[in-house]
Amino acid sequence: MKSKWTAGGLALLVTLSLTACGTSSGGSAQGANGAGSAGGGAAQTPTQTQAPVAGGQEAKAKTKTMTFLDKTYTVPEKAERIVITGALESMEDAMVLGINPVGAISVSGKFPDMFKSITGKAVSIGEKTEPNFEKILSLKPDVILGSSKFKPEVMEQLSKMAPTLPMSHISTNWEANLLALGELTGKKAEADKVISQYQADLKAAKAQLGEKMKDKKIVIVRVRAGSLYIYPESVFFNPSLYGELGFTVPAEVKAAKAQELISLEKFSQMNPDYVFVQFSEDENKDAPKALESLQSNPIWKSIAAVKNNKVFVNVVDPLAQGGASWGKIEFLKAAVAKLSGS
């Protein structure tokens, strides 16, 4: 259940917690992140300072400044107690870098199997859109990874507990997200290596698939609440298909301004040669048989991709965000495997 806090009540709780914890190694005595102007990129060379705590004492933990998406933040020199709230993108990044948060996002009241490698010792801090402020504060985080989708008042309350970064939900910012987490945790070199390997794999994939797929119509759709959705060119896995692999963007995708409901009749008129379908039971609780119904529909069966057995369902876990490191890496592998075998 989502905790309800007034700004004043939370501020009092934060103050009492900081006073009681003093200079504990958990880093909960850090002040709110400081935002300001800075150059682009993920993280710059840190400058070390001493962080003040309640009562004017000096904290033992040193801090540094880092730049994330053109804003500057003051964070611990190395964050060890990380809480992830709102940003499933950061859950994916944590998997890629082998980072275990002390607090993480649950889905329908539990940690999904997808994230089991990093949630063995984590505490649920609420659902994606429902952070539990009391639970987060009790974990004494060094850093909180929030979401760029959070409202300002939510970010303000989180920032009273620990330095808080609004991790981007924009697909094209996946590298900045990953590098920021690497900088926070002393794994910047590992993040750089992941990105370099992805670029090498992408180059090989383009060489293998580019000529073969240049005249093919390739679409990814998502079944949500029993209906079919397409996404704009720069959203979900579309940047991987069109921006990186270079496949032709269908007119319907170009025209989409946001996640867009598309009727089965209109989708059949698109008549794609290849279709990637993402279906999650959590997103279709009121229509658990939606995928089966779709697959048995005569209109669906009339589509070229369906007739030629070129429909690929859940090539990556349906919880993958599309624009985050783990999902992009796994989707690229799957796309190459599926399309090269055509």
Side-chain angles (χ1 to χ4, degrees), residues 149-198:
K149 286 186 175 182
F150 276 162
K151 294 180 179 180
E153 53 267 31
V154 174
M155 289 299 295
E156 181 181 358
Q157 291 190 35
L158 292 171
S159 294
K160 292 176 181 177
M161 305 179 203
T164 302
L165 275 65
M167 309 311 290
S168 179
H169 69 283
I170 305 299
S171 297
T172 50
N173 289 332
W174 77 273
E175 291 185 11
N177 278 351
L178 185 66
L179 289 170
L181 183 57
E183 175 64 20
L184 285 167
T185 58
K187 291 195 172 187
K188 175 76 159 45
E190 288 91 330
D192 285 329
K193 185 176 180 180
V194 168
I195 293 170
S196 295
Q197 185 62 56
Y198 180 81

Side-chain angles (χ1 to χ4, degrees), residues 136-315:
I136 293 171
L137 183 62
S138 72
L139 292 173
K140 302 181 177 64
D142 294 333
V143 169
I144 299 171
L145 303 181
S147 171
S148 56
K149 286 186 175 182
F150 276 162
K151 294 180 179 180
E153 53 267 31
V154 174
M155 289 299 295
E156 181 181 358
Q157 291 190 35
L158 292 171
S159 294
K160 292 176 181 177
M161 305 179 203
T164 302
L165 275 65
M167 309 311 290
S168 179
H169 69 283
I170 305 299
S171 297
T172 50
N173 289 332
W174 77 273
E175 291 185 11
N177 278 351
L178 185 66
L179 289 170
L181 183 57
E183 175 64 20
L184 285 167
T185 58
K187 291 195 172 187
K188 175 76 159 45
E190 288 91 330
D192 285 329
K193 185 176 180 180
V194 168
I195 293 170
S196 295
Q197 185 62 56
Y198 180 81
Q199 296 301 332
D201 292 343
L202 177 61
K203 183 178 180 180
K206 291 176 71 174
Q208 182 176 350
L209 299 174
E211 190 66 25
K212 183 179 180 179
M213 295 290 139
K214 68 177 183 179
D215 297 322
K216 303 297 183 180
K217 183 179 289 187
I218 304 171
V219 181
I220 185 164
V221 295
R222 193 170 185 174
V223 181
R224 307 186 83 171
S227 298
L228 206 59
Y229 288 85
I230 60 173
Y231 290 81
E233 185 177 350
S234 61
V235 178
F236 201 36
F237 285 103
N238 284 347
S240 295
L241 287 175
Y242 309 125
E244 295 179 343
L245 289 169
F247 301 146
T248 301
V249 186
E252 294 83 356
V253 172
K254 273 189 173 294
K257 301 302 181 183
Q259 172 181 285
E260 185 173 291
L261 175 68
I262 185 169
S263 68
L264 184 53
E265 290 77 10
K266 185 175 181 180
F267 188 70
S268 69
Q269 291 171 13
M270 288 179 67
N271 199 32
D273 299 294
Y274 298 86
V275 179
F276 290 92
V277 178
Q278 291 296 99
F279 173 84
S280 169
E281 292 180 359
D282 283 323
E283 294 181 334
N284 293 274
K285 290 182 178 179
D286 293 332
K289 302 294 184 181
L291 182 59
E292 295 175 23
S293 297
L294 177 67
Q295 292 170 328
S296 63
N297 192 300
I299 299 175
W300 176 258
K301 291 181 178 180
S302 71
I303 297 171
V306 180
K307 291 191 292 185
N308 295 320
N309 198 30
K310 302 303 179 186
V311 176
F312 313 115
V313 178
N314 289 347
V315 296

Side-chain angles (χ1 to χ4, degrees), residues 16 22 25-26 31 47 49 85 111 117 123 159 164 168 191-192 194 207 235 249 292 336:
L16 291 174
S25 59
T47 56
T49 60
T85 176
F111 292 133
S117 65
V123 173
S159 294
T164 302
S168 179
D192 285 329
V194 168
V235 178
V249 186
E292 295 175 23
V336 171

Side-chain angles (χ1 to χ4, degrees), residues 3-148:
S3 297
K4 300 182 183 297
W5 290 82
T6 63
L10 180 65
L12 176 59
L13 184 54
V14 172
T15 301
L16 291 174
S17 176
L18 295 181
T19 302
C21 295
T23 58
S24 67
S25 59
S28 62
Q30 300 296 334
N33 55 289
S37 61
Q44 297 179 334
T45 303
T47 56
Q48 298 180 356
T49 60
Q50 293 292 332
V53 296
Q57 302 175 18
E58 284 191 342
K60 293 179 181 179
K62 293 181 179 179
T63 63
K64 64 185 178 184
T65 58
M66 62 175 284
T67 300
F68 172 61
L69 295 178
D70 298 326
K71 288 189 177 181
T72 302
Y73 299 86
T74 299
V75 298
E77 188 176 59
K78 182 179 179 181
E80 296 181 352
R81 298 184 62 80
I82 292 178
V83 165
I84 301 174
T85 176
L88 285 173
E89 293 83 1
S90 292
M91 298 282 282
E92 291 192 33
D93 292 341
M95 283 200 300
V96 168
L97 295 180
I99 293 165
N100 298 285
V102 295
I105 303 166
S106 58
V107 177
S108 298
K110 62 182 181 179
F111 292 133
D113 288 341
M114 173 181 171
F115 300 120
K116 64 182 180 181
S117 65
I118 62 168
T119 55
K121 296 182 180 180
V123 173
S124 170
I125 49 72
E127 303 288 291
K128 182 178 179 181
T129 58
E130 299 181 335
N132 184 322
F133 297 116
E134 181 180 12
K135 181 64 70 175
I136 293 171
L137 183 62
S138 72
L139 292 173
K140 302 181 177 64
D142 294 333
V143 169
I144 299 171
L145 303 181
S147 171
S148 56

